Amino acid sequence: MANSKLFRIAFMEMRCLEETSESSASDEPYAVFFTADLHGLVPKMSVYRTQVFEDTDEGELKKQWVRIWGVNQKAQTITDPDKVIILVALMENDESDPEFVLATARGLMFANLMALVSSGINRPEMITSLIKAFNASLDAGVATGFPNADERLDSAKELHITPSDMVAANAATIRKNLTFSGDGGKYRLGFDMATGIG
């Protein structure tokens, strides 16, 4: 599907549907995003995160605008949505350093992406492998917080962009959601997709 328009995809908000079962009075979640652009001969990727949303209680809505496409956080063309890979993970902050978690994931995911692209595997297999690698990289990154390390709430998930999403986003901003459950907690993350540079 060819389309030369600029697209922008951003994290917008996080709704706490149920708090985790941790002993603390409130959760302190943050989301981490892996984005890959496979349109060119050399893959491009980025890893970003939200702030740590402190004092998050059940029913509460937390908002922050974090652009996750394009990979340089500027609007970017999409000619083939199968060439766009966006993975999302949700973390519960304890005593790990979220910036170290981010740096660890960034380094490990680049190596994994390059190896998978070079292997020539199909897209579904690549997504499965990248999700496993993303989970592992985040788990490695929280090690500095031991014994009270940050926790992953659920496995990482793909925010899958489809041709119909692109058609709909040409007309108006669309909303896509992902739900994460773990450690007794449940969260819904909201993302907006639209055309233009705004």
Side-chain angles (χ1 to χ4, degrees):
M1 174 180 175
N3 195 315
S4 60
K5 286 191 175 181
L6 294 170
F7 285 87
R8 48 193 168 87
I9 304 169
F11 167 84
M12 303 299 290
E13 62 185 30
M14 174 188 298
R15 172 79 70 179
C16 177
L17 303 175
E18 297 176 28
E19 283 184 57
T20 65
S21 55
E22 291 193 351
S23 58
S24 59
S26 301
D27 290 344
E28 297 182 330
Y30 62 99
V32 185
F33 314 106
F34 166 82
T35 304
D37 178 7
L38 307 184
H39 283 92
L41 293 175
V42 179
K44 299 177 183 177
M45 59 143 280
S46 59
V47 180
Y48 303 116
R49 71 172 178 92
T50 65
Q51 68 189 64
V52 175
F53 294 106
E54 298 181 355
D55 299 322
T56 299
D57 299 312
E58 185 171 323
E60 196 168 359
L61 181 67
K62 300 286 190 173
K63 295 189 176 186
Q64 184 187 7
W65 186 87
V66 181
R67 179 169 288 170
I68 55 178
W69 178 266
V71 294
N72 58 0
Q73 292 192 301
K74 296 180 180 179
Q76 210 168 309
T77 58
I78 299 175
T79 57
D80 180 356
D82 280 347
K83 302 292 186 182
V84 175
I85 298 174
I86 300 173
L87 304 182
V88 182
L90 184 62
M91 310 293 292
E92 166 66 13
N93 183 232
D94 287 312
E95 294 183 12
S96 301
D97 180 355
E99 279 303 304
F100 184 80
V101 174
L102 197 72
T104 302
R106 186 176 288 125
L108 294 176
M109 289 304 291
F110 179 76
N112 276 279
L113 178 66
M114 295 302 290
L116 289 168
V117 170
S118 298
S119 73
I121 65 173
N122 61 40
R123 190 182 192 278
E125 291 175 331
M126 180 178 292
I127 296 299
T128 298
S129 295
L130 284 172
I131 287 174
K132 290 180 180 177
F134 197 27
N135 287 337
S137 69
L138 294 168
D139 293 347
V142 302
T144 55
F146 181 83
N148 296 313
D150 293 3
E151 295 178 272
R152 238 185 332 106
L153 302 182
D154 211 338
S155 171
K157 301 178 185 292
E158 182 188 13
L159 183 69
H160 188 205
I161 305 304
T162 66
S164 60
D165 289 333
M166 293 176 63
V167 171
N170 270 321
T173 300
I174 65 169
R175 170 59 58 93
K176 294 178 73 70
N177 295 312
L178 290 175
T179 301
F180 294 82
S181 299
D183 196 19
K186 187 174 183 180
Y187 282 83
R188 183 177 65 240
L189 277 58
F191 304 83
D192 280 0
M193 178 178 180
T195 56
I197 61 174

